[in-house]
Amino acid sequence: MIRVLKEPKYQILIIVILTFGVYFNSLFNQFVWDDHLFVENWPQVRSFDNLGEVLGGSAPEAQGKIYRPIRGVIYMIDWQLFGPSAPGYRIQAVLLHVSVTVLVYLIAYSLISSYSLKTNGRISVNSRMEANGERMKANEQMGRLLPLVVGLLYGIHPIHTETIDYISASLETFGSLFFFAAFYLYVLSRGSWGIKGSWGSKGLYYWGSVGLAVLAFFTYEMTVTLPILLVLYDICFRRNIDAHQRHKSKFSIFNFQFSINYLPYFIGAVVFVVVRTMILGLVSRTDYLGYSFYHTMVTMVKVFVRYVGLLILPLNQTAIHNLVEEFPSSMTPYDKLDPILSQTIFDLPVILSIVTIALLILIGVKVVRLYPFITFGIIWFFIALLPVSYIIPHGGAMAEKYLYIASFGFILAAAVTITQISADLKLISADFVKQAFIYLGVGLVLFYGVSTIARNRVWHDDISLFSDVVKKSPNNLLANYTLGIWYVNIRNFEAGKKHYLRAIEKAPEFWEARFNLANSYIRSDEFAKAEDEYKAILNIYPSHASAKNILANLALLKESSPSAQPAGDLAVYYKLKSGLKFSFPAYWSVSTTEKSGTKNAELADVVLKDADETLTVEIEDAKRYSGEIEDFIKGQRDELGTLVNQGLAQIPNVQTAFVKVWSFDSAQDQEREEVTKDKEQNKDTSEVSSLALSELVLSEAEGVEGGSSEVDSSERFIKLQFFLFGEGKVVEIVAWPVPQGESAVIRQFDGILASIKIE
């Protein structure tokens, strides 16, 4: 059995089977957290027509200042393969992790074997290898098993569950895959270095490594440390080489022959940084913790030590760690800053953390000659974490996914440390010690494996994920707020209100939680409580248009059955005397103009505006028409600008729908407003046609938005004019100015159209 375990192909097979096995239950998980933004609600990735936008740094709303263009392209490919279906992404995430784990094994195998084995019948390539060979002879069996231990621990370690189970993070794993592949090919290229002018395996490995490194940089910014880690590799493992390899010169990373090898990697990393920071202007994504660089650094030294603890004993894992007391790693504007700002460098936890980090780095530097693996692993760990050290604020100050690359160094150093020190102390020769190591290894694998399976269940859906956060941090604002949203989505209003109230109790000024709480009260037919919450919001945020509009629409909402409310936004169900029915978001404003004194005295026009007043929708009441639909359309002589397109439209619940697309500018509207006013002066108000009234509303709306004769007429906008036919009646709808592309307000307008029923 031990012989079989020594064979690399069987070791890889064991790693693949066990790694895939511990993540098997994650295949049934749903999308969570930012997955909804990146997969379900990022329209740019749904078509390769948007490739230029994605390569230029396009990102979902609320995810600005990110530049990961290759990852964006991968999202586009995945959308074509999987669409919005979670299982495809889940399988991909697990297979990615298995692939990275195999690369980790291959790197560990290459480093360990090349360091201890002889070459061409001579002692291996450095003068220290004789002593090392003696150590490894005493522990040859364990030395053969070390790559298996490193690969297996990396594959099943529960600290990686956030990276795998969180689809948004798993797409970043492509960057890690390119990173480890680039490092491995560099190691292979260094193994064949020294054959002057050869473009055999050396050239293929080296330039393949460079190409993968560039892909890694433009996929995930955590990989920009690769050039430094390549230098670290050469310092630790290539310091002493054969005379013909070093051309009889002392090794130095500043030696031209060696430094030129790093140049393409550093150039690639610098190009990425320049494009991101100088060309696109994407530097920091947020502010320093407590708006203080000093207090941020004081916090981060403790975070780094906590990372070490999580790698050794991964207990109390959570999606949102507390940094200091109850101050979270993923903060909201309402989290109190006192815990951060009250810290000093003289606090005992800070001093102990600084001493721990300094001691680890000192050990790494001191033992480089005797134990290069320990040096390599320790320094790798800290270098790999530099991009998330918060020297440049990047978002969450602490996250388990940040350890995906760094953990390799820690695991390698830990495994080799235990083996080599035991060999030096001649403990490993004792049978009972060998058995103890075996039992310890099996126990560790079982502990990590079971913990990983359990964490996969936590990441099953948003409710299970944020319930776990609240269980470990009951007052976390973001987790309580998010739980409120998802409980309301499944119509568990009581649970949703409980979490909203907990967030408000912690931060009374948290108006977003109050707004959702008020909406929940409406859904549960508690209108008095809802009204109080909307008024409380206006006390905090007097210009909150959505709260104002819902208060104005409260009487209309009371007429609707709470059970009829959709899972998303609150909706007002509206019915006109003619029988026309439709619904619109409750936070939109509504005004009605009765057509009294005309032959259509029972009819009315309804004007809707979204909360930000960026879109106006005029709905003309249903009226009877005669003749054919085609003749009716041809008989419409209204001019709303320049007609750029027209044709049939697909609108549910109506017999036939026809749409005209008009292009207009504010100067044109100003001119039409003057014409309309002249017509109004020469006509009795009772004789104003519906078209004239429509033009009047349009002109007034554009006037409010600043449409004057001084506005640049080269800036053009879109109006949509719909004619909906059904039950012998026609409804005219005009919407303007319609924004280009997909947006929230357009989706809301689509919902209004889809709700229309002509009776």
Side-chain angles (χ1 to χ4, degrees), residues 241-460:
I241 53 180
D242 287 353
H244 75 277
Q245 287 179 304
R246 55 186 167 92
H247 298 279
K248 300 180 181 181
S249 64
K250 185 178 179 181
F251 172 83
S252 170
I253 63 171
F254 301 106
N255 179 287
F256 176 78
Q257 179 191 350
F258 289 93
S259 61
I260 198 69
N261 299 333
Y262 310 128
L263 189 59
Y265 298 96
F266 280 102
I267 289 175
V270 169
V271 168
F272 167 76
V273 172
V274 168
V275 170
R276 172 176 169 154
T277 59
M278 296 185 181
I279 297 179
L280 298 178
L282 306 176
V283 185
S284 62
R285 293 183 60 192
T286 184
D287 293 309
Y288 289 111
L289 302 175
Y291 308 102
S292 165
F293 177 79
Y294 164 72
H295 290 98
T296 298
M297 294 301 102
V298 168
T299 303
M300 292 309 298
V301 294
K302 294 190 292 183
V303 167
F304 273 38
V305 173
R306 287 176 63 187
Y307 282 145
V308 175
L310 283 169
L311 285 169
I312 297 173
L313 200 60
L315 299 177
N316 292 319
Q317 288 182 255
T318 177
I320 304 176
H321 287 270
N322 285 334
L323 301 177
V324 185
E325 298 176 9
E326 292 187 339
F327 190 89
S329 54
S330 295
M331 63 180 180
T332 72
Y334 310 107
D335 286 297
K336 306 302 181 185
L337 301 180
D338 294 346
I340 292 291
L341 299 179
S342 63
Q343 300 177 103
T344 73
I345 198 172
F346 302 106
D347 293 345
L348 182 59
V350 177
I351 293 173
L352 292 177
S353 297
I354 293 174
V355 169
T356 301
I357 293 173
L359 187 61
L360 286 172
I361 294 175
L362 181 63
I363 290 172
V365 172
K366 287 294 185 180
V367 302
V368 63
R369 292 184 178 276
L370 188 60
Y371 299 115
F373 282 105
I374 297 175
T375 299
F376 179 74
I378 291 174
I379 305 302
W380 172 293
F381 175 78
F382 287 109
I383 290 176
L385 286 175
L386 283 177
V388 289
S389 61
Y390 235 75
I391 295 173
I392 298 177
H394 57 272
M398 180 180 182
E400 293 168 14
K401 65 178 183 177
Y402 297 157
L403 289 168
Y404 195 69
I405 293 175
S407 61
F408 164 65
F410 180 87
I411 293 170
L412 178 66
V416 173
T417 296
I418 294 173
T419 301
Q420 289 198 336
I421 291 179
S422 299
D424 285 347
L425 297 177
K426 298 182 180 181
L427 295 176
I428 202 70
S429 58
D431 289 339
F432 78 91
V433 175
K434 291 181 181 179
Q435 292 179 354
F437 270 110
I438 292 174
Y439 291 141
L440 177 64
V442 172
L444 194 61
V445 168
L446 286 174
F447 172 67
Y448 283 175
V450 171
S451 298
T452 296
I453 293 171
R455 284 298 297 173
N456 293 338
R457 296 176 61 187
V458 168
W459 284 86
H460 180 267

Side-chain angles (χ1 to χ4, degrees), residues 571-592:
V572 172
Y573 293 89
Y574 209 78
K575 181 178 181 180
L576 296 175
K577 294 178 181 179
S578 66
L580 177 64
K581 294 180 179 179
F582 60 90
S583 64
F584 61 90
Y587 48 83
W588 282 41
S589 65
V590 56
S591 60
T592 305

